[in-house]
Every structure is written in C-alpha cells, then in structure tokens.
Amino acid sequence: MAPATIISPRRRTEAPRRLPSPSSPPRKLRPISEILKRAKYAVVERAEYSDIFCEQCGSGERPEELLLCDKCDKGFHMKCLRPIVVRIPIGSWLCPKCSGQKPIRRFSQKKIIDFFKIQKTGDGKKKCSRIKVKKYTRKRRRRSVSLVLLKKRRRLLPFIPSEDPNQRLRQMGTLASALTAMQMKFSDELTYSSSMAPRSANQAKFEDGGMQVLSKEDMETLELCRAMSRRGECPPFIVVFDSCEGYTVETDAQIKDMTFIAEYTGDVDYIRNRENDDCDSMMTLLLATNPCESLVICPDKRGNIARFINGINNHTPEGKKKQNCKCVRYGVNGECRVLLVATRDIAKGERLYYDYNGYEHEYPTHHFV
C-alpha cells in the first residue's frame, strides 16, 4: 500500500505566490515627493510651541503673529508672507508652498467663452455697439460749459474695449485663470442665497442718512458697459500674479478719469453673519440705520475682476499716491450697488489701487505694500 501524500497546511489569508514574468517590464515607482504633494493632511495639535520660528525671517518673536501650516507644520509671520496676511485665518491654513498657488495660466478660446458665458453675436451688432460708444464720447465733448459746472456735473464714462479680439481673449483669459485658482465662479451680478441675506434686504431706503441715486445718464453708461461685457467686449484690464501682492490688476490701455471700471459683485450677506469671517475682500453694501440690517458683499465664491484690485496703505503718503480709482455706493432702481470708478487718467501698464476704507476707516491697511 502506497504511503499517504502529506499536504502542508495553508492559511486562508495567504495569497498564492506569483512568479514574476521575465518578459514583463519593471514597475515604475513614483517619487516620494510626488506622493506627498497629493497626500491628504491632518491637523495635529502640538503640545509645545516654544520652538517655532518663522521660515522667512528666522525669528520666533511675536508668536501671536505666527501662522502654522496645517500640512508641513512650519511657521510664518503674517507680515513675512507674500502676499501679506492681514487677518488670522479661520480654520485650516496652508503656506504658499503647500497650497500650490500657481501664477496665471492660459485658457483656450472655447473655455473663455464658456467660462464667461459670452453671448455670440454677429459682426454687425459689434460694430453697432462700437459706434454707440463713439457717439456717446463725441456728444460729451461738444458741451461748452464752465470748468466749475463741469466739475459738479461729472458723469461716468463707458470703458472702451480693445479693438483686437485676440487681445480681449487674452485679457479675459487672465481673469478666468485667477478666478479658477481662487476656486471662484465668474459673476457680474450680486448673488442672493437662501442661507444669507434675501434680495428684499438690499434696499437703498434703509441706508442711514440716505444714499446717492445714480443719474439717468450714468444708468445708460452702466447698462452699455454691461451689454458690452455680455458680448465679450471686456474692459481693457489684465490680471497678473505678483509674488509680493498676489493677484493684481493692470491696465492694458489708457483709462480716462471717471471711466467705469467694474461693479463689485459677490454673495450678499448681513454684516452680523460675517463678523468673524477671514475673507479679506468683503465690501460694504448697505449701512442701515439698524446695524442688524447692514449688508456686505462677499466675493469668496463668486465675483469678477473687482475681486483682484488691491488696496492702498492709507497710513503712508506713498500709499495714498498710488490710489487711482475709488468705490462709490449708489442707489440703482431702489437697490444698493457698488461701482469702481477711475479718479484720474491711468496710463497703460499701471496697476489699479483704491482705498479699502470708504466710510468706516476700520479696515487695517498699515501692513499693505
């Protein structure tokens, strides 16, 4: 009788061994630096913070101004960062290296048209709009009034788009790139969400002391500019990335004094809901007699080119000299709106700056470049 075959026991969790095929190519392994870039991070509380120092200046002084990156756990002074961080961020925060903030990138023509939802029109309509702008400017030049009256009756001028379509696409492409990098959607309108302030709360009659009303002539200018923007005839501005100031706006053509630049847009919310918000670009919309009814514009999810126009350091004479535009709050059809207007002639290539403190003088700008 033949002896019984002895079978070695095998665990159920043990996988069968697979011999490598001699013909199969060697497996490519990703470098650890690439894996760490895409790896998720977890916020870990430190037991001791006395050994933290700033990666930029090397100092551990002013610990109340040191920010810790939630991914690399390195420290940075708020003033040493570029662009400077004015307010302490709420929630998690990533340093510039870990956040992966990239400069302006190119967009294709189709992506630009889809991004801004440009209305396609024939060449005839585009020429017609151009003629309207020229007639409007000629009509203004024919007025023969004294300088005193002209100063009192200064009206808004419409922006003049660049004639070259490729140049306009390049301008819109820089804005689309900046909005995408900030994870924002383009919007030329004020947005009202169910979780924020309703549209019924935005009424000019609630303004404490009253609000100046936009004249009929300026209303026509505003509607003309909005119609041109919808057709892709954008104002001649480009968004550039500066290592010191972050995203900022430059002119791509000469801009005349009192030219309409843009309307400040975004989500409308009550000020009381945003008292502890770390958004650095909130704009006052309504200062109501009842402070609980005051409104702000928050361009953290939706906005336009106004989001990237930087503020001046209004604590220094040099900072004040840089201002070349201003924000003006108007009552338009009974609602509050914020318009950005040029305060002097602006040369091509000049960057746009305005004073963040229009009425309240509460926003800290002494750290601004």
Side-chain angles (χ1 to χ4, degrees):
M1 185 174 179
T5 305
I6 301 174
I7 302 174
S8 61
R10 182 184 294 273
R11 295 181 182 177
R12 292 184 180 180
T13 56
E14 184 180 349
R17 295 180 182 181
R18 184 179 180 182
L19 297 175
S21 173
S23 61
S24 60
R27 187 178 179 184
K28 293 183 179 179
L29 300 177
R30 290 184 298 171
I32 189 66
S33 58
E34 183 181 345
I35 296 174
L36 289 175
K37 283 182 180 179
R38 299 182 180 182
K40 294 183 179 181
Y41 63 92
V43 180
V44 179
E45 292 291 335
R46 278 172 168 247
E48 183 63 37
Y49 292 89
S50 59
D51 59 338
I52 299 174
F53 58 90
C54 178
E55 295 291 325
Q56 297 294 332
C57 67
S59 171
E61 298 178 355
R62 305 188 310 278
E64 68 279 1
E65 296 182 8
L66 273 171
L67 299 178
L68 283 181
C69 177
D70 289 320
K71 189 170 185 179
C72 66
D73 208 31
K74 295 179 180 179
F76 299 86
H77 279 123
M78 296 167 64
K79 296 179 183 178
C80 295
L81 289 166
R82 293 295 181 269
I84 292 172
V85 177
V86 181
R87 297 179 177 179
I88 297 176
I90 298 174
S92 61
W93 176 80
L94 300 180
C95 68
K97 185 177 180 180
C98 293
S99 63
Q101 192 176 45
K102 298 180 180 179
I104 300 296
R105 64 186 179 93
R106 292 183 177 273
F107 274 71
S108 66
Q109 179 178 351
K110 184 180 183 303
K111 286 186 176 180
I112 292 174
I113 293 174
D114 294 340
F115 188 89
F116 294 101
K117 299 179 181 179
I118 296 173
Q119 299 175 356
K120 297 180 180 180
T121 55
D123 294 336
K125 291 185 179 180
K126 288 187 177 181
K127 291 179 181 178
C128 183
S129 66
R130 184 81 59 184
I131 292 171
K132 284 183 180 179
V133 174
K134 290 181 178 179
K135 283 184 177 180
Y136 184 88
T137 53
R138 282 202 298 265
K139 184 179 179 181
R140 289 180 55 82
R141 291 172 187 169
R142 288 175 183 171
R143 291 184 178 180
S144 57
V145 294
S146 65
L147 291 176
V148 177
L149 291 176
L150 188 62
K151 193 73 175 179
K152 290 181 180 179
R153 296 180 181 177
R154 291 206 307 170
R155 303 299 184 190
L156 293 181
L157 292 174
F159 61 78
I160 300 178
S162 302
E163 294 184 2
D164 185 6
N166 294 324
Q167 189 177 5
R168 295 200 300 269
L169 284 173
R170 182 177 66 89
Q171 294 162 0
M172 288 185 289
T174 61
L175 175 57
S177 176
L179 289 170
T180 303
M182 298 291 290
Q183 298 181 351
M184 292 174 55
K185 294 182 179 179
F186 173 76
S187 175
D188 250 348
E189 306 279 350
L190 293 176
T191 308
Y192 301 92
S193 174
S194 57
S195 60
M196 302 181 192
R199 186 163 189 168
S200 58
N202 182 16
Q203 297 190 38
K205 64 182 180 181
F206 295 155
E207 175 73 14
D208 187 16
M211 180 175 288
Q212 56 181 328
V213 180
L214 196 66
S215 66
K216 182 180 178 181
E217 187 177 5
D218 290 346
M219 274 289 298
E220 294 176 355
T221 301
L222 180 62
E223 292 303 322
L224 174 62
C225 292
R226 290 169 65 87
M228 287 191 293
S229 297
R230 286 193 293 268
R231 292 193 296 268
E233 299 176 11
C234 60
F237 303 119
I238 57 175
V239 182
V240 297
F241 184 81
D242 185 275
S243 60
C244 186
E245 298 183 12
Y247 289 107
T248 185
V249 180
E250 289 183 359
T251 58
D252 205 25
Q254 184 180 6
I255 305 296
K256 292 185 178 181
D257 183 20
M258 288 301 294
T259 296
F260 170 76
I261 294 174
E263 180 180 351
Y264 211 94
T265 61
D267 294 322
V268 178
D269 201 358
Y270 291 106
I271 290 181
R272 65 175 185 266
N273 296 341
R274 299 282 179 156
E275 290 179 350
N276 298 319
D277 200 301
D278 61 342
C279 179
D280 61 351
S281 300
M282 287 190 293
M283 173 63 64
T284 301
L285 178 63
L286 171 65
L287 290 175
T289 306
N290 182 0
C292 294
E293 297 178 353
S294 297
L295 303 175
V296 288
I297 304 172
C298 309
D300 48 358
K301 297 179 180 178
R302 283 167 283 270
N304 56 12
I305 199 167
R307 167 67 175 81
F308 302 107
I309 299 178
N310 286 332
I312 63 168
N313 184 335
N314 55 16
H315 294 270
T316 62
E318 293 77 14
K320 294 179 180 179
K321 289 179 183 178
K322 293 165 66 175
Q323 182 175 352
N324 49 22
C325 56
K326 64 178 180 179
C327 277
V328 188
R329 294 187 299 127
Y330 286 107
V332 180
N333 296 327
E335 293 184 344
C336 303
R337 306 269 280 276
V338 181
L339 308 183
L340 276 161
V341 183
T343 56
R344 59 173 173 83
D345 292 344
I346 308 174
K348 180 181 178 180
E350 191 174 346
R351 292 185 177 179
L352 299 181
Y353 295 96
Y354 70 100
D355 190 355
Y356 276 13
N357 295 275
Y359 299 91
E360 306 88 86
H361 298 282
E362 294 179 355
Y363 195 88
T365 63
H366 52 282
H367 295 322
F368 283 17
V369 180

